[in-house]
Amino acid sequence: MSRAQGAQAALPLVDALLAASTLQGYAPLHAVHGDVLEQLGHRDAAHAAFLRAIKHTRNAHERAVLLARADACLRA
């Protein structure tokens, strides 16, 4: 959605998915949230979303990628 119609259009959809308690532990959703927030220039919120994604994944490679994305939010 964010690539086709823009991050502003995607954010309410991602927020609605995050509101569903069954998806709170789904790391890819938090990563998408971080990506959308980053596209909108909300660096602090994006950083927090990437950290939530890290918390919900056990895959070392995914954690490394997400940590790099989170750190990039602080440097921008």
Side-chain angles (χ1 to χ4, degrees):
M1 172 65 96
S2 70
R3 303 293 187 233
Q5 296 183 16
Q8 192 66 42
L11 186 58
L13 299 174
V14 174
D15 285 341
L17 290 171
L18 284 167
S21 61
T22 57
L23 297 174
Q24 287 300 313
Y26 187 56
L29 180 57
H30 292 287
V32 167
H33 192 220
D35 185 61
V36 169
L37 289 166
E38 186 178 28
Q39 289 177 51
L40 292 171
H42 303 296
R43 303 266 183 228
D44 290 339
H47 177 260
F50 288 128
L51 292 181
R52 281 190 301 277
I54 290 168
K55 183 175 122 178
H56 295 294
T57 187
R58 294 181 187 191
N59 181 294
H61 179 71
E62 287 177 8
R63 292 175 66 87
V65 170
L66 291 165
L67 184 58
R69 296 284 309 268
D71 287 347
C73 291
L74 298 179
R75 289 192 305 265

